Short mmCIF file of all heavy atoms in Angstrom, two decimals:
data_model
loop_
_atom_site.label_atom_id
_atom_site.label_comp_id
_atom_site.label_asym_id
_atom_site.label_seq_id
_atom_site.Cartn_x
_atom_site.Cartn_y
_atom_site.Cartn_z
N PRO U 119 -7.90 -7.20 7.45
CA PRO U 119 -8.32 -7.55 8.81
C PRO U 119 -9.82 -7.29 9.00
O PRO U 119 -10.37 -6.36 8.41
CB PRO U 119 -7.49 -6.61 9.70
CG PRO U 119 -6.29 -6.27 8.86
CD PRO U 119 -6.81 -6.19 7.46
N SER U 120 -10.45 -8.10 9.82
CA SER U 120 -11.89 -7.93 10.05
C SER U 120 -12.19 -6.57 10.67
O SER U 120 -13.28 -6.01 10.46
CB SER U 120 -12.42 -9.04 10.95
OG SER U 120 -11.79 -9.01 12.22
N THR U 121 -11.25 -6.02 11.42
CA THR U 121 -11.46 -4.70 12.03
C THR U 121 -11.57 -3.61 10.97
O THR U 121 -12.35 -2.66 11.11
CB THR U 121 -10.32 -4.35 12.99
OG1 THR U 121 -9.06 -4.55 12.32
CG2 THR U 121 -10.37 -5.23 14.24
N LEU U 122 -10.79 -3.74 9.90
CA LEU U 122 -10.85 -2.77 8.80
C LEU U 122 -12.15 -2.94 8.03
O LEU U 122 -12.78 -1.97 7.60
CB LEU U 122 -9.64 -2.92 7.89
CG LEU U 122 -9.56 -1.97 6.70
CD1 LEU U 122 -9.66 -0.51 7.14
CD2 LEU U 122 -8.27 -2.20 5.92
N LYS U 123 -12.57 -4.19 7.86
CA LYS U 123 -13.86 -4.44 7.19
C LYS U 123 -15.00 -3.83 8.01
O LYS U 123 -15.95 -3.26 7.45
CB LYS U 123 -14.08 -5.94 7.01
CG LYS U 123 -15.39 -6.33 6.32
CD LYS U 123 -15.48 -5.76 4.92
CE LYS U 123 -16.59 -6.41 4.08
NZ LYS U 123 -17.93 -6.21 4.61
N ALA U 124 -14.92 -3.93 9.34
CA ALA U 124 -15.95 -3.34 10.20
C ALA U 124 -15.99 -1.83 10.01
O ALA U 124 -17.07 -1.22 9.96
CB ALA U 124 -15.69 -3.69 11.66
N TRP U 125 -14.81 -1.19 9.91
CA TRP U 125 -14.77 0.26 9.68
C TRP U 125 -15.44 0.61 8.36
O TRP U 125 -16.26 1.54 8.29
CB TRP U 125 -13.32 0.77 9.70
CG TRP U 125 -13.21 2.24 9.42
CD1 TRP U 125 -13.44 3.27 10.29
CD2 TRP U 125 -12.86 2.85 8.16
NE1 TRP U 125 -13.26 4.48 9.66
CE2 TRP U 125 -12.90 4.26 8.36
CE3 TRP U 125 -12.53 2.35 6.91
CZ2 TRP U 125 -12.61 5.16 7.33
CZ3 TRP U 125 -12.24 3.24 5.88
CH2 TRP U 125 -12.27 4.63 6.10
N LEU U 126 -15.12 -0.13 7.32
CA LEU U 126 -15.72 0.13 6.01
C LEU U 126 -17.23 -0.04 6.07
O LEU U 126 -17.98 0.79 5.53
CB LEU U 126 -15.11 -0.80 4.96
CG LEU U 126 -13.68 -0.50 4.54
CD1 LEU U 126 -13.09 -1.67 3.76
CD2 LEU U 126 -13.61 0.78 3.71
N ASP U 127 -17.69 -1.11 6.71
CA ASP U 127 -19.13 -1.34 6.79
C ASP U 127 -19.83 -0.22 7.56
O ASP U 127 -20.95 0.17 7.22
CB ASP U 127 -19.41 -2.69 7.48
CG ASP U 127 -19.07 -3.88 6.60
OD1 ASP U 127 -18.96 -3.69 5.37
OD2 ASP U 127 -18.92 -4.99 7.14
N GLN U 128 -19.18 0.29 8.59
CA GLN U 128 -19.78 1.37 9.39
C GLN U 128 -19.75 2.70 8.65
O GLN U 128 -20.71 3.49 8.70
CB GLN U 128 -19.05 1.50 10.73
CG GLN U 128 -19.19 0.32 11.67
CD GLN U 128 -20.54 0.27 12.37
OE1 GLN U 128 -21.44 1.07 12.10
NE2 GLN U 128 -20.69 -0.68 13.28
N VAL U 129 -18.66 2.97 7.96
CA VAL U 129 -18.47 4.30 7.37
C VAL U 129 -19.19 4.47 6.03
O VAL U 129 -19.53 5.59 5.63
CB VAL U 129 -16.96 4.61 7.21
CG1 VAL U 129 -16.37 3.95 5.97
CG2 VAL U 129 -16.71 6.12 7.19
N ILE U 130 -19.46 3.37 5.33
CA ILE U 130 -20.18 3.45 4.05
C ILE U 130 -21.67 3.44 4.34
O ILE U 130 -22.23 2.43 4.78
CB ILE U 130 -19.80 2.27 3.13
CG1 ILE U 130 -18.32 2.33 2.75
CG2 ILE U 130 -20.67 2.29 1.87
CD1 ILE U 130 -17.81 1.10 2.03
N ILE U 131 -22.31 4.57 4.13
CA ILE U 131 -23.74 4.71 4.43
C ILE U 131 -24.48 4.98 3.12
O ILE U 131 -24.43 6.09 2.58
CB ILE U 131 -23.99 5.84 5.44
CG1 ILE U 131 -23.12 5.63 6.70
CG2 ILE U 131 -25.47 5.88 5.82
CD1 ILE U 131 -23.20 6.77 7.68
N VAL U 132 -25.16 3.95 2.64
CA VAL U 132 -25.89 4.08 1.38
C VAL U 132 -26.97 5.16 1.52
O VAL U 132 -27.70 5.21 2.51
CB VAL U 132 -26.53 2.74 0.99
CG1 VAL U 132 -27.37 2.89 -0.27
CG2 VAL U 132 -25.45 1.68 0.78
N GLY U 133 -27.03 6.03 0.52
CA GLY U 133 -27.99 7.12 0.56
C GLY U 133 -27.48 8.36 1.27
O GLY U 133 -28.15 9.39 1.31
N HIS U 134 -26.28 8.25 1.84
CA HIS U 134 -25.70 9.40 2.56
C HIS U 134 -24.34 9.79 1.99
O HIS U 134 -24.14 10.93 1.59
CB HIS U 134 -25.57 9.06 4.05
CG HIS U 134 -24.89 10.12 4.85
ND1 HIS U 134 -25.45 11.37 5.05
CD2 HIS U 134 -23.68 10.14 5.49
CE1 HIS U 134 -24.62 12.10 5.79
NE2 HIS U 134 -23.55 11.39 6.07
N ASN U 135 -23.42 8.84 1.97
CA ASN U 135 -22.07 9.18 1.48
C ASN U 135 -21.53 8.20 0.47
O ASN U 135 -20.37 8.30 0.07
CB ASN U 135 -21.09 9.30 2.65
CG ASN U 135 -20.84 7.98 3.35
OD1 ASN U 135 -21.49 6.97 3.06
ND2 ASN U 135 -19.91 7.96 4.30
N ALA U 136 -22.32 7.22 0.05
CA ALA U 136 -21.84 6.23 -0.91
C ALA U 136 -22.25 6.64 -2.32
O ALA U 136 -23.44 6.79 -2.60
CB ALA U 136 -22.39 4.85 -0.58
N GLY U 137 -21.27 6.82 -3.16
CA GLY U 137 -21.53 7.22 -4.53
C GLY U 137 -20.23 7.59 -5.21
O GLY U 137 -19.32 8.10 -4.54
N PRO U 138 -20.08 7.32 -6.50
CA PRO U 138 -18.82 7.53 -7.20
C PRO U 138 -18.23 8.92 -7.08
O PRO U 138 -17.03 9.10 -7.15
CB PRO U 138 -19.17 7.20 -8.66
CG PRO U 138 -20.37 6.33 -8.57
CD PRO U 138 -21.13 6.80 -7.38
N GLY U 139 -19.08 9.94 -6.90
CA GLY U 139 -18.56 11.30 -6.87
C GLY U 139 -18.43 11.90 -5.49
O GLY U 139 -18.01 13.04 -5.35
N VAL U 140 -18.78 11.15 -4.45
CA VAL U 140 -18.82 11.70 -3.10
C VAL U 140 -17.46 12.20 -2.65
O VAL U 140 -17.33 13.30 -2.11
CB VAL U 140 -19.36 10.65 -2.10
CG1 VAL U 140 -19.21 11.14 -0.68
CG2 VAL U 140 -20.82 10.36 -2.39
N SER U 141 -16.43 11.39 -2.83
CA SER U 141 -15.07 11.79 -2.43
C SER U 141 -14.16 11.82 -3.65
O SER U 141 -12.99 11.45 -3.58
CB SER U 141 -14.52 10.82 -1.37
OG SER U 141 -15.30 10.85 -0.21
N ALA U 142 -14.70 12.26 -4.75
CA ALA U 142 -13.95 12.25 -6.01
C ALA U 142 -12.63 13.00 -5.86
O ALA U 142 -12.60 14.15 -5.42
CB ALA U 142 -14.78 12.89 -7.12
N GLY U 143 -11.56 12.30 -6.18
CA GLY U 143 -10.24 12.92 -6.14
C GLY U 143 -9.56 12.92 -4.80
O GLY U 143 -8.40 13.31 -4.71
N VAL U 144 -10.25 12.51 -3.73
CA VAL U 144 -9.60 12.46 -2.42
C VAL U 144 -8.53 11.38 -2.45
O VAL U 144 -8.82 10.22 -2.77
CB VAL U 144 -10.61 12.16 -1.29
CG1 VAL U 144 -9.89 11.93 0.03
CG2 VAL U 144 -11.60 13.30 -1.16
N PRO U 145 -7.28 11.70 -2.14
CA PRO U 145 -6.22 10.70 -2.19
C PRO U 145 -6.24 9.76 -0.98
O PRO U 145 -6.23 10.22 0.16
CB PRO U 145 -4.93 11.54 -2.21
CG PRO U 145 -5.32 12.83 -1.55
CD PRO U 145 -6.77 13.05 -1.84
N ILE U 146 -6.32 8.48 -1.25
CA ILE U 146 -6.26 7.46 -0.21
C ILE U 146 -5.04 6.58 -0.48
O ILE U 146 -4.94 5.96 -1.53
CB ILE U 146 -7.53 6.60 -0.17
CG1 ILE U 146 -8.76 7.47 0.12
CG2 ILE U 146 -7.39 5.50 0.88
CD1 ILE U 146 -10.06 6.69 0.22
N THR U 147 -4.11 6.58 0.46
CA THR U 147 -2.91 5.74 0.36
C THR U 147 -3.09 4.53 1.25
O THR U 147 -3.36 4.67 2.44
CB THR U 147 -1.66 6.52 0.78
OG1 THR U 147 -1.56 7.72 -0.01
CG2 THR U 147 -0.41 5.67 0.59
N VAL U 148 -2.94 3.35 0.67
CA VAL U 148 -3.09 2.09 1.41
C VAL U 148 -1.74 1.39 1.49
O VAL U 148 -1.11 1.13 0.47
CB VAL U 148 -4.11 1.16 0.72
CG1 VAL U 148 -4.23 -0.16 1.49
CG2 VAL U 148 -5.47 1.83 0.59
N VAL U 149 -1.30 1.11 2.71
CA VAL U 149 -0.08 0.31 2.91
C VAL U 149 -0.53 -1.13 3.08
O VAL U 149 -1.03 -1.54 4.12
CB VAL U 149 0.71 0.79 4.14
CG1 VAL U 149 1.95 -0.08 4.33
CG2 VAL U 149 1.11 2.26 3.98
N ALA U 150 -0.39 -1.89 2.00
CA ALA U 150 -0.90 -3.27 1.94
C ALA U 150 0.25 -4.26 2.12
O ALA U 150 0.77 -4.82 1.15
CB ALA U 150 -1.62 -3.50 0.62
N SER U 151 0.65 -4.48 3.35
CA SER U 151 1.77 -5.39 3.62
C SER U 151 1.30 -6.83 3.55
O SER U 151 0.13 -7.14 3.76
CB SER U 151 2.37 -5.09 4.99
OG SER U 151 1.39 -5.24 6.00
N ARG U 152 2.25 -7.72 3.26
CA ARG U 152 1.93 -9.15 3.22
C ARG U 152 3.18 -9.98 3.46
O ARG U 152 4.30 -9.57 3.11
CB ARG U 152 1.26 -9.56 1.91
CG ARG U 152 2.00 -9.31 0.61
CD ARG U 152 1.86 -7.90 0.05
NE ARG U 152 0.50 -7.38 0.10
CZ ARG U 152 -0.40 -7.59 -0.87
NH1 ARG U 152 -0.07 -8.27 -1.94
NH2 ARG U 152 -1.61 -7.07 -0.76
N GLY U 153 2.98 -11.16 4.07
CA GLY U 153 4.10 -12.02 4.45
C GLY U 153 4.83 -12.62 3.28
O GLY U 153 6.04 -12.88 3.35
N GLY U 154 4.11 -12.86 2.17
CA GLY U 154 4.72 -13.41 0.97
C GLY U 154 4.57 -12.43 -0.17
O GLY U 154 4.56 -11.22 0.03
N SER U 155 4.44 -12.97 -1.38
CA SER U 155 4.22 -12.13 -2.55
C SER U 155 3.01 -12.64 -3.32
O SER U 155 2.87 -13.85 -3.54
CB SER U 155 5.44 -12.10 -3.46
OG SER U 155 5.18 -11.29 -4.60
N TYR U 156 2.16 -11.71 -3.71
CA TYR U 156 0.96 -12.04 -4.48
C TYR U 156 0.91 -11.18 -5.74
O TYR U 156 -0.15 -10.93 -6.30
CB TYR U 156 -0.29 -11.81 -3.61
CG TYR U 156 -0.28 -12.66 -2.37
CD1 TYR U 156 0.46 -12.29 -1.25
CD2 TYR U 156 -0.95 -13.87 -2.32
CE1 TYR U 156 0.52 -13.08 -0.11
CE2 TYR U 156 -0.90 -14.68 -1.19
CZ TYR U 156 -0.17 -14.28 -0.10
OH TYR U 156 -0.11 -15.08 1.02
N ALA U 157 2.08 -10.75 -6.16
CA ALA U 157 2.20 -9.87 -7.32
C ALA U 157 1.86 -10.63 -8.61
O ALA U 157 1.93 -11.87 -8.64
CB ALA U 157 3.62 -9.31 -7.40
N PRO U 158 1.49 -9.91 -9.66
CA PRO U 158 1.21 -10.57 -10.94
C PRO U 158 2.38 -11.44 -11.38
O PRO U 158 3.54 -11.03 -11.30
CB PRO U 158 1.02 -9.38 -11.90
CG PRO U 158 0.51 -8.28 -11.02
CD PRO U 158 1.24 -8.46 -9.72
#
Side-chain angles (χ1 to χ4, degrees):
S120 62
T121 51
L122 181 54
K123 180 60 165 63
W125 178 79
L126 288 166
D127 288 341
Q128 294 283 5
V129 81
I130 296 170
I131 307 174
V132 176
H134 175 67
N135 66 354
V140 172
S141 298
V144 172
I146 299 182
T147 304
V148 179
V149 179
S151 59
R152 59 276 316 272
S155 179
Y156 300 80

